Amino acid sequence: MSELTAENAMMEITSDTYRYAGFWMRFWAYIMDLIVVASINGILLTPFKFINDGEVIEMGFWTLTGIIASIMFYLYFLLMTKKFGQTLGKMIMGIKVIREDGEKLTWNDLLFREVIGRFIHRVFSFLAVLYIVVAFTKEKQGIHDMIGNTRVVFVD
């Protein structure tokens, strides 16, 4: 019983030491990140306008440029968060992603948060509304944070 109490006390201390980033801080960071990703995709995908006489290269249901743009979107969030704990938008806003237990972010954490969580929000566009969950949870978690067991906190 004392171990359980000690764990609970440690969890309370840990959660009290962070200032969680709310909806609007995260929203503006995300908008900045979308601008960065769109800029990168603009640079990478411009040469495709000169290939195939400017015709879209289709691959079944998708286009080649659509596939590359999607890969770049997920890679940006995945690699930036793994390397720095932040994307450029989060750096500007002074926030970063951490694990709920305070340990270093792992690939599994980030695959669930950045790829699977974001994929769910983007593919099922009506679920994008669920980003608002951040505004109402105690630790300001979105669905993708809950999936990845992460939090977004202010950098002190």
Side-chain angles (χ1 to χ4, degrees), residues 60-78:
F61 184 70
W62 299 284
T63 64
L64 180 59
T65 54
I67 292 169
I68 293 170
S70 295
I71 290 169
M72 291 309 301
F73 174 84
Y74 292 110
L75 280 177
Y76 169 78
F77 284 98
L78 183 66

Side-chain angles (χ1 to χ4, degrees), residues 74-85:
Y74 292 110
L75 280 177
Y76 169 78
F77 284 98
L78 183 66
L79 297 177
M80 287 293 292
T81 307
K82 176 62 177 162
K83 177 74 175 165
F84 303 106

Side-chain angles (χ1 to χ4, degrees), residues 15-102:
S15 65
D16 289 342
T17 59
Y18 295 117
R19 286 185 316 130
Y20 298 105
F23 175 80
W24 288 110
M25 292 297 286
R26 295 172 65 166
F27 173 80
W28 292 116
Y30 184 66
I31 295 298
M32 290 178 211
D33 288 329
L34 289 180
I35 292 168
V36 170
V37 171
S39 300
I40 293 168
N41 281 337
I43 292 167
L44 291 176
L45 300 178
T46 297
F48 286 96
K49 292 180 181 178
F50 303 104
I51 297 173
N52 199 29
D53 292 327
E55 293 292 319
V56 175
I57 302 170
E58 293 182 3
M59 301 180 78
F61 184 70
W62 299 284
T63 64
L64 180 59
T65 54
I67 292 169
I68 293 170
S70 295
I71 290 169
M72 291 309 301
F73 174 84
Y74 292 110
L75 280 177
Y76 169 78
F77 284 98
L78 183 66
L79 297 177
M80 287 293 292
T81 307
K82 176 62 177 162
K83 177 74 175 165
F84 303 106
Q86 307 168 285
T87 58
L88 292 174
K90 285 182 181 73
M91 288 177 190
I92 292 167
M93 298 306 289
I95 58 180
K96 70 177 186 172
V97 178
I98 61 167
R99 279 177 53 138
E100 73 178 348
D101 62 5

Side-chain angles (χ1 to χ4, degrees), residues 4 8 13-14 39 42 46 55-56 78 82-83 92 105-106 118 121 125 132 134 153 155:
L4 185 59
N8 289 341
I13 291 169
T14 303
S39 300
T46 297
E55 293 292 319
V56 175
L78 183 66
K82 176 62 177 162
K83 177 74 175 165
I92 292 167
L105 290 166
T106 66
R118 289 190 191 279
H121 283 299
S125 56
I132 198 73
V134 171
V153 298
V155 178

